[in-house]
Amino acid sequence: MKYSRILAASLVTAALGTGAVAQSDEVKVIGVSIPAATHGWAGGMNFHAQATVERLEKVYPQLDFVLATASDPGKQVNDIEDMMATRNIDALVVLPFESDPLTPPVQAVADSGAWVTVVDRGLSVEGIEDLYVAGDNPGFGKVSGEYMASKMPEGGDIVVFRGIPTTIDNERVDAFTAAIEGSGINVLDMEHGNWNRDDSFNVMQDFLSKYDKIDAVWASDDDMAIGVLAAIEAAGRDDIQFVLGGAGMKEMILRTAEGDPMIPANVTYPPSMIATAIELTAVGLTSNAPVSGTFVIGSVLVTPENAKSFYYPDSPF
Amino acid sequence: MKYSRILAASLVTAALGTGAVAQSDEVKVIGVSIPAATHGWAGGMNFHAQATVERLEKVYPQLDFVLATASDPGKQVNDIEDMMATRNIDALVVLPFESDPLTPPVQAVADSGAWVTVVDRGLSVEGIEDLYVAGDNPGFGKVSGEYMASKMPEGGDIVVFRGIPTTIDNERVDAFTAAIEGSGINVLDMEHGNWNRDDSFNVMQDFLSKYDKIDAVWASDDDMAIGVLAAIEAAGRDDIQFVLGGAGMKEMILRTAEGDPMIPANVTYPPSMIATAIELTAVGLTSNAPVSGTFVIGSVLVTPENAKSFYYPDSPF
């Protein structure tokens, strides 16, 4: 555990046998560096980061937090260098804007002996971080596919929206395809909506003109689902029974909670994973529990029955 | 999130928009069910479970804990059924004695709507648990192999001790073998010491009579390392430069901390992972942070520099 090195200085003179050494009374500082955003997934991530820092400052008087939000990778590099220089952070929780530019400053934090937690996007060099907290892309596709199969016991014709061409997208779609295999669900067409509302509106318009009957849509993302729903409404089509988005946008969670038959479910890929990362880092600094390793946050199914517990009215997402 | 269902009853009348729903003031009960033990890895696990419950009862006044230790699988089944019947637990943290007999009672807990965290050993049916906290067996082998390669830059002849024939053992040994590839380290021999001191003493006696010169030993486990060291001492051999065990037994951590050249390092497979599991379950019940998924606790290298922070004098392990 790299954070153990933080403690080493104060323990040099401590005899072995004085108790669990991870419990020290000195105040430790956790830096949190994330991309700024006022809306969308990143907006939700900002909301949960802020809320978690406020909560943990109350829970753990022995912890101090520095939260910095950056509007571009250069600013994020500066934020992290500032945290090192002026706050002497004991741990850093970072969701990198981009992998390449953030790798050297985060490496420098690790080299200083501070604990490093990386969230969602990996760095360009393996093994820098002590803890990696990530979403579960294959799980996201699998849960989505299983839900659609269970919702369409007789099978049916669907169209599928893909994100920006990436490993993430491939993992999701491959797992979805495997999950609907043998279910009688027929994929009429599959196109990239690029996790974008306008692109998905256009793609859905094409699908609607191409196919007279579409039973359901795997939009695979709530932004894409909004574009899809707008295209369906503009076309006045009533053959589509439901649209499955994903990521847990609050407007969509609310529609599921209220029983909207067009949005009967959601699958999480929670921006609140930043909260888990901060909580675990705090646990690592205040207890004997080992928190190095990889935590893959599961994608879970949201239905009208449990939707309320995924709804954060004060979050922008 | 299954534990959201716990909250559903109290939220039926709550309007959406009243705040993050996972934060409720009612006291919630976390059951912790583990195998009993007074020594060895399981003894350390008991120590850390107890310490974590004591710590968290102070940190979170809104949480209650029930800790039960079982000396056989039948007792553990009863413990869990009792927790359901008499304490109405909101969450269960369980390290199953054996997978098969524990699967039905833990399934019943999940079916009741309570949160389930499974630690270390999986159940016989997939998908019951909300959170799985596990050790990293390939990582354990990889870190061990990389350490030996770095410690023997010129290469050398080693013998390797395997555990009880299991998937766990295969994963460790395969990763170790891959990690030393091309390092110049030659594996003279490899035998099963079955994670047992006496078996490993006997195997090491055979190795010592078979090979005139052994440069180092990957004992791969601290119990096996103790058997190996005893055999070396009994034979009066001074060719072996060091023995690498693993799992972080306190006597071995102490020797590393004190600079014993025969025990220059250790690789963790921490019994304190039970602490991580309990901490995460508490975070799930008291915050908005998602804690469903799979947390693979990393195996990390212990050296004289950081050994003190892995030494728990009050633990039996």
Side-chain angles (χ1 to χ4, degrees):
Chain A
M1 291 195 292
K2 230 173 265 146
Y3 80 88
S4 62
R5 278 190 268 142
I6 308 163
L7 301 169
S10 58
L11 288 165
V12 161
T13 55
L16 288 170
T18 53
V21 291
Q23 286 161 358
S24 159
D25 288 336
E26 66 183 294
V27 169
K28 300 208 182 76
V29 182
I30 298 179
V32 180
S33 170
I34 54 176
T38 54
H39 67 283
W41 195 90
M45 193 260 300
N46 273 258
F47 168 81
H48 286 286
Q50 185 66 48
T52 302
V53 164
E54 284 166 17
R55 175 185 120 83
L56 287 177
E57 278 177 337
K58 282 179 211 143
V59 172
Y60 294 114
Q62 70 273 42
L63 293 180
D64 257 3
F65 291 86
V66 196
L67 173 63
T69 62
S71 47
D72 60 72
K75 166 75 162 59
Q76 191 173 24
V77 170
N78 289 343
D79 285 348
I80 293 169
E81 289 172 352
D82 274 1
M83 286 177 186
M84 288 270 286
T86 66
R87 296 300 307 268
N88 194 23
I89 49 171
D90 298 288
L92 172 68
V93 179
V94 57
L95 194 152
F97 219 111
E98 291 172 12
S99 299
D100 285 350
L102 270 304
T103 296
V106 177
Q107 175 84 67
V109 173
D111 290 347
S112 80
W115 178 269
V116 172
T117 299
V118 171
V119 188
D120 191 39
R121 286 164 226 173
L123 298 171
S124 303
V125 175
E126 267 186 46
I128 293 175
E129 69 271 12
D130 299 281
L131 169 63
Y132 182 41
V133 176
D136 182 5
N137 290 300
F140 181 91
K142 180 169 182 273
V143 170
S144 300
E146 288 173 350
Y147 175 76
M148 292 197 76
S150 75
K151 181 83 177 162
M152 306 173 78
E154 313 291 318
D157 294 322
I158 70 168
V159 291
V160 168
F161 284 69
R162 306 191 59 145
I164 293 170
T166 48
T167 312
I168 291 175
D169 185 60
N170 291 340
E171 288 176 349
R172 290 179 174 188
V173 174
D174 290 350
F176 178 85
T177 305
I180 61 168
E181 207 179 285
S183 69
I185 292 177
N186 170 43
V187 177
L188 291 169
D189 219 329
M190 206 184 265
E191 286 292 342
H192 289 277
N194 303 319
W195 296 318
N196 178 286
R197 290 182 195 196
D198 295 340
D199 289 4
S200 302
F201 180 86
N202 293 335
V203 170
M204 189 64 194
Q205 279 196 319
D206 288 347
F207 284 162
L208 288 167
S209 63
K210 216 161 146 189
Y211 305 102
D212 286 340
K213 183 170 161 291
I214 299 170
D215 294 314
V217 180
W218 186 41
S220 80
D221 172 81
D222 288 333
D223 267 307
M224 295 204 283
I226 286 172
V228 167
L229 290 165
I232 294 171
E233 201 184 330
R237 287 273 290 261
D238 60 4
D239 48 322
I240 295 110
Q241 293 156 34
F242 71 97
V243 174
L244 180 63
M249 183 187 293
K250 73 174 180 177
E251 293 80 6
M252 302 299 263
I253 295 287
L254 189 55
R255 289 176 70 165
T256 298
E258 289 172 341
D260 183 339
M262 274 300 269
I263 314 290
N266 209 295
V267 179
T268 62
Y269 191 84
S272 49
M273 68 174 69
I274 190 74
T276 314
I278 301 170
E279 294 272 357
L280 269 173
T281 305
V283 165
L285 288 184
T286 57
S287 82
N288 291 329
V291 296
S292 61
T294 300
F295 190 3
V296 177
I297 306 278
S299 282
V300 298
L301 185 68
V302 181
T303 62
E305 287 70 37
N306 67 0
K308 287 187 182 71
S309 56
F310 295 93
Y311 181 70
Y312 305 105
D314 300 330
S315 170
F317 184 77
Chain B
M1 290 196 292
K2 231 175 264 146
Y3 79 88
S4 62
R5 279 190 267 141
I6 308 163
L7 301 168
S10 59
L11 288 165
V12 161
T13 55
L16 289 169
T18 51
V21 290
Q23 285 160 357
S24 162
D25 288 334
E26 65 183 295
V27 170
K28 299 207 183 78
V29 182
I30 298 179
V32 178
S33 170
I34 55 176
T38 54
H39 68 282
W41 195 91
M45 194 260 299
N46 274 258
F47 168 80
H48 287 286
Q50 184 66 47
T52 303
V53 164
E54 283 167 17
R55 176 187 119 83
L56 287 177
E57 278 176 338
K58 283 179 209 144
V59 172
Y60 295 115
Q62 70 273 44
L63 293 180
D64 256 5
F65 292 85
V66 197
L67 173 62
T69 61
S71 48
D72 59 71
K75 166 76 163 57
Q76 192 173 23
V77 170
N78 288 343
D79 285 348
I80 293 170
E81 289 172 351
D82 273 0
M83 286 178 187
M84 289 270 286
T86 67
R87 296 300 307 268
N88 194 24
I89 50 171
D90 298 289
L92 172 68
V93 179
V94 57
L95 195 152
F97 220 110
E98 290 172 12
S99 300
D100 286 349
L102 270 304
T103 296
V106 177
Q107 175 83 67
V109 173
D111 290 347
S112 80
W115 177 270
V116 172
T117 299
V118 171
V119 188
D120 191 39
R121 284 163 229 174
L123 298 171
S124 303
V125 175
E126 267 186 47
I128 292 175
E129 68 271 13
D130 298 281
L131 170 63
Y132 181 42
V133 176
D136 182 4
N137 291 300
F140 180 91
K142 180 169 182 275
V143 170
S144 301
E146 288 173 351
Y147 175 76
M148 292 197 76
S150 75
K151 181 84 179 160
M152 306 173 78
E154 315 290 318
D157 294 321
I158 69 169
V159 289
V160 168
F161 283 69
R162 307 192 58 147
I164 293 170
T166 49
T167 312
I168 292 175
D169 185 61
N170 291 339
E171 288 176 349
R172 291 179 174 187
V173 174
D174 290 350
F176 177 85
T177 305
I180 61 168
E181 206 180 285
S183 69
I185 292 177
N186 170 43
V187 178
L188 291 170
D189 219 328
M190 205 183 267
E191 286 293 342
H192 289 277
N194 303 320
W195 296 318
N196 179 285
R197 291 183 194 195
D198 294 340
D199 288 4
S200 302
F201 180 86
N202 293 335
V203 170
M204 189 65 193
Q205 279 197 318
D206 289 346
F207 285 162
L208 288 168
S209 63
K210 216 163 147 188
Y211 304 102
D212 287 339
K213 185 171 160 290
I214 298 171
D215 295 314
V217 180
W218 185 41
S220 82
D221 173 80
D222 288 332
D223 267 306
M224 293 204 285
I226 286 171
V228 166
L229 290 164
I232 294 171
E233 200 184 329
R237 287 273 290 261
D238 59 5
D239 48 322
I240 295 110
Q241 293 156 34
F242 71 97
V243 175
L244 180 63
M249 184 187 293
K250 73 174 180 177
E251 292 80 5
M252 301 299 264
I253 295 287
L254 189 56
R255 289 176 71 163
T256 297
E258 288 173 343
D260 182 340
M262 275 299 271
I263 314 291
N266 209 296
V267 179
T268 63
Y269 191 83
S272 49
M273 67 174 69
I274 190 74
T276 313
I278 300 170
E279 294 272 358
L280 270 173
T281 305
V283 165
L285 289 184
T286 57
S287 82
N288 292 329
V291 296
S292 61
T294 301
F295 191 2
V296 177
I297 306 279
S299 281
V300 299
L301 185 68
V302 180
T303 62
E305 286 70 38
N306 68 1
K308 287 187 181 72
S309 56
F310 295 93
Y311 182 69
Y312 306 106
D314 301 330
S315 170
F317 185 76

